[in-house]
């Protein structure tokens, strides 16, 4: 086993598992297809992918054009409407403060999803750079980077965020809409990047020993060219899967922080804030839609991202699917 | 084996120092007069000011303050709340119920997760597997506090099987529902991990050999598939403790359980950042220690780890 280098084992064909006809059917003259094109081909045939896309498309339209769904203003509440039942144009009635429940849910998508998306992008970039450096250069760079990321990895996400948000909220009491989004994003990203670093590092370690990297070196590619043109693009698959799934995880984490009173400030319309504000309805058992509507919207969005991640995982790693 | 244990112990030291450094810097980053922060933003006399500065070593250089912070954390000296109660006393009073809750949740998580995951993994892509997968995806998507509220509403308010909130004099039976809620959040991941692990081991060479020997299916699954599949699951359950502790803050708040998490929540609500940092420091210490124990257990369970 020891003279097979990491990544090479895939070339040892599992003969007994491959019927002869299938081997004969391989067109050896065909132009090798791009990894991403092949993945897209598999993705297109996946029903999970289309279900996820449908959910996320609805959410995206909600974010871009909320007025298509509702005419009501989510920031205008009137106490005289407190817990008024559903009426024409207000299909789910009103909250305790007299806000339109449906309008709040539609407009809440914006803040909740943007926290998730910005955090996921930031985490992916940070993790990819640090992971690629650690995996590619090895040695001291690797040891330092791994120990450094271990420190952040040792603090559970939500616990770390609680402290960071509590401190940053004190530091910037006047921070406006995007300021408050960035506080939550910074806290989540600070404790989430090591996961991507670990995956990127493992993928780079595997890819950098493959033949095509040796081939590129042989025709004169520099170390950095190798890293940028050959190693990083071929190590991205696990990072893409994790990032897609973590989008959902970050949206849930933001709502949990809001529940603890540490998410976005209460004047921001977000699902977390609305669920948190409606929690008293539970103990009374009345007007449950005030809580369940934003909760359902949140759960569907998260489900969309998780399903998308699953579909992409299967498309990028056909080995796992066959098992 | 001892080489591995020693290496792992040494690795814990920089992680612990780094984690305390992060928490310490956050504490120091707070704006305003640190003495006013400690006194709850009430004006204080010069005498009190000097006493607080001496008590919290505020006149020392930052590095010395950090060393003292680490020393205090190791000796469980976490300072005082705004009302003058030592934070460690607060933790000592509230920690037992959190431990009971976490252990119950971990047990539910492990038992249900492993059973369902194994059954799903043995018949991969069967009807049972599909149902379990769909349910686990839904459980991952719903935030734990929504699960908590729904459970509280259904079993506490509507059906009245259990009291809706726990309160000061808690009993084991009252903690069952909160423990299930706490377990639900992680249990989906346990199922999925067990399922993948079992399915992978089913095609392993040693399992084929065991079948070739003519062992019954039950024996093969029990002795050859499960035993090997559970190693990563056990490790994962250990890592789960971090999520369990964060989840405890939410679950204890919903069900009004007087645990560490609820105490942290109340401190957040009162704006006592120093108390929050103290409690979180304690939780991170517990977590780092538990991950160390789990890693050592991993080496005991899986001989391959010891010789790397």
């Amino acid at each position: 086993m020891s003279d097979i280098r990491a990544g090479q084992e895939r070339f040892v064909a599992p003969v007994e598992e491959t019927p002869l006809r299938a081997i004969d059917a391989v067109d050896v003259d065909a132009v090798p297809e791009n990894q991403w094109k092949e993945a897209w081909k598999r993705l297109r045939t996946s029903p999970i992918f289309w279900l996820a896309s449908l959910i996320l498309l609805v959410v995206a339209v909600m974010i871009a054009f909320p007025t298509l769904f509702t005419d009501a203003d989510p920031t205008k509440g009137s106490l005289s409407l407190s817990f008024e039942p559903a009426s024409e144009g207000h299909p789910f009635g009103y909250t305790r403060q007299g806000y339109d429940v449906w309008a709040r849910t539609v407009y809440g998508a914006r803040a909740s999803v943007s926290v998730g998306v910005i955090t996921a992008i930031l985490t992916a970039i940070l993790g990819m750079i640090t992971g690629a450096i650690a995996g590619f250069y090895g040695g001291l760079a690797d040891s330092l980077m791994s120990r450094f990321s271990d420190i952040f990895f040792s603090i559970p996400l939500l616990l770390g965020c609680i402290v960071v948000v509590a401190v940053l909220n004190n530091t910037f009491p006047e921070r406006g809409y995007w300021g408050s989004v960035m506080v939550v994003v910074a806290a989540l990203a600070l404790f989430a990047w090591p996961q991507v670093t670990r995956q990127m590092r493992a993928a780079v370690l595997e890819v950098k020993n493959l033949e095509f990297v040796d081939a590129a070196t042989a025709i004169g590619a520099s170390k950095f060219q190798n890293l940028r043109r050959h190693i990083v693009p071929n190590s991205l698959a696990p990072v893409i899967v994790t990032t897609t799934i973590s989008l959902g995880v970050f949206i849930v984490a933001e709502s949990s922080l809001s529940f603890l009173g540490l998410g976005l400030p209460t004047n921001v319309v977000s699902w977390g804030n609305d669920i948190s504000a409606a929690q008293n309805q539970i103990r009374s058992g009345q007007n449950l839609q005030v809580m369940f509507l934003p909760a359902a919207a949140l759960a569907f969005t998260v489900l969309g991202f998780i399903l998308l991640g699953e579909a992409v995982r299967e498309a990028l790693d056909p080995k796992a699917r066959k098992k | 084996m001892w080489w591995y244990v020693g290496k792992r112990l040494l690795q814990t030291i920089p992680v612990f120092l780094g984690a305390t450094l992060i928490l310490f810097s956050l504490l120091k980053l707070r704006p305003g007069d640190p003495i006013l922060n400690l006194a709850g933003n009430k004006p204080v006399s010069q005498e009190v000011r000097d006493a607080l500065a001496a008590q919290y070593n505020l006149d020392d250089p930052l590095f010395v303050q950090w060393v003292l912070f680490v020393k205090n954390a190791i000796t469980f000296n976490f300072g005082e709340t705004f009302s003058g109660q030592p934070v460690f006393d607060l933790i000592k009073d509230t920690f037992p119920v959190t431990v009971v809750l976490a252990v119950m949740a971990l047990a539910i998580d492990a038992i249900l997760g492993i059973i369902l995951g194994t059954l799903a993994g043995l018949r991969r892509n069967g009807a049972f597997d599909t149902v379990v997968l769909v349910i686990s995806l839904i459980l991952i998507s719903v935030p734990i506090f929504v699960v908590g509220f729904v459970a509280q509403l259904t079993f506490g308010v509507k059906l009245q099987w259990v009291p809706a909130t726990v309160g000061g004099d808690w009993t084991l039976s009252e903690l069952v529902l909160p423990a299930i809620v706490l377990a639900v959040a992680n249990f989906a991941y346990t199922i999925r991990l067990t399922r993948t692990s079992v399915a992978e081991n089913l095609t392993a060479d040693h399992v084929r050999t065991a079948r070739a020997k003519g062992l019954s299916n039950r024996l093969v699954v029990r002795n050859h598939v499960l035993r090997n599949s559970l190693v990563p699951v056990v490790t994962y359950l250990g890592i789960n403790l971090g999520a369990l502790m964060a989840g405890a803050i939410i679950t204890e708040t919903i069900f009004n359980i007087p645990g560490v998490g609820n105490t942290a929540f109340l401190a957040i609500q009162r704006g006592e950042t120093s108390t929050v940092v103290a409690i979180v420091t304690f939780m991170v210490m517990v977590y780092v220690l538990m991950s160390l124990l789990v890693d050592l257990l991993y080496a005991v369970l899986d001989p391959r780890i010891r010789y790397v």
Side-chain angles (χ1 to χ4, degrees), chain A residues 105 271 275 289-300, chain B residues 141-143 146:
Chain A
T105 303
W271 291 331
I275 302 170
Q289 82 284 4
V290 175
M291 172 166 179
F292 283 129
L293 198 68
L298 186 141
F300 265 106
Chain B
S141 310
V142 181
V146 174

Side-chain angles (χ1 to χ4, degrees), chain A residues 151-152 154 158 162-163 167 170-171 255-256 260 262 275 279 282-283 288 291-292 298-299 303 306-307 310 323, chain B residues 15 18-19 22 26 31 137 140-141 143 145 149-150 152-153 192 200 246 249 254 265 268-269 273 280 287:
Chain A
I151 293 170
F152 289 89
S154 75
L158 207 57
I162 286 172
V163 178
V167 170
N170 267 337
T171 318
S255 72
S256 302
L260 294 173
L262 287 172
I275 302 170
Q279 52 184 289
I282 287 297
R283 285 181 188 151
L288 294 176
M291 172 166 179
F292 283 129
L298 186 141
L303 190 65
I306 290 179
L307 288 177
E310 292 289 318
K323 269 183 196 150
Chain B
V15 165
I22 294 172
L26 285 169
L137 280 179
I140 294 175
S141 310
F145 57 98
F149 282 133
V150 172
Q152 190 180 41
L153 174 74
R192 301 183 65 120
E200 223 161 68
I249 297 184
I254 294 174
F265 175 73
I268 295 169
Q269 298 275 301
T273 315
V280 170
Y287 177 63

Side-chain angles (χ1 to χ4, degrees), chain B residues 75-202:
Chain B
T75 53
F76 293 120
N77 177 4
F78 291 113
E80 291 174 358
T81 63
F82 287 179
S83 51
Q85 191 188 9
V87 174
F88 181 64
D89 283 1
L90 204 62
I91 293 176
K92 205 172 61 188
D93 292 343
T94 52
F95 195 49
V97 66
T98 305
V99 172
V100 174
L101 184 69
V103 169
M104 282 169 81
L106 203 61
I108 296 169
D109 178 6
I111 296 170
L112 275 182
I114 290 174
I115 292 178
L116 292 179
T118 309
L119 291 177
L122 286 177
R123 300 209 195 331
R124 195 150 168 170
N125 299 329
F128 181 76
D129 183 28
T130 314
V131 171
V132 166
L133 264 192
V134 170
I135 293 177
S136 72
L137 280 179
I138 293 172
L139 288 182
I140 294 175
S141 310
V142 181
I144 177 171
F145 57 98
V146 174
V147 178
F149 282 133
V150 172
Q152 190 180 41
L153 174 74
T154 319
F155 302 107
V157 180
K158 288 273 157 74
L159 296 172
Q160 307 222 327
W161 289 356
V162 286
T165 53
V166 175
D169 301 316
W170 54 277
T171 56
L172 268 187
S173 58
E174 283 176 329
L175 290 183
V176 173
L177 186 65
I180 293 175
V181 169
L182 189 50
V184 153
N186 299 310
F187 149 77
Y189 292 102
T190 315
I191 293 182
R192 301 183 65 120
L193 189 63
T194 315
R195 169 183 177 271
T196 323
S197 189
V198 165
E200 223 161 68
N201 269 304
L202 268 181

Side-chain angles (χ1 to χ4, degrees), chain A residues 111-187:
Chain A
S112 300
V113 175
S114 51
V115 167
V117 171
I118 301 173
T119 314
I121 294 175
L122 203 64
T123 316
I125 294 176
L126 259 175
M128 269 170 7
I129 295 175
T130 50
I133 292 175
F136 186 67
Y137 292 103
L140 187 66
D142 185 20
S143 300
L144 283 179
M145 198 63 90
S146 297
R147 292 291 86 77
F148 186 65
S149 65
D150 274 355
I151 293 170
F152 289 89
F153 204 69
S154 75
I155 301 179
L157 180 69
L158 207 57
L159 286 185
C161 288
I162 286 172
V163 178
V164 174
V165 175
V167 170
L168 288 181
N169 279 357
N170 267 337
T171 318
F172 309 107
E174 302 292 328
R175 54 195 184 279
Y177 183 89
W178 287 106
S180 5
V181 169
M182 287 327 285
V183 164
V184 178
V185 165

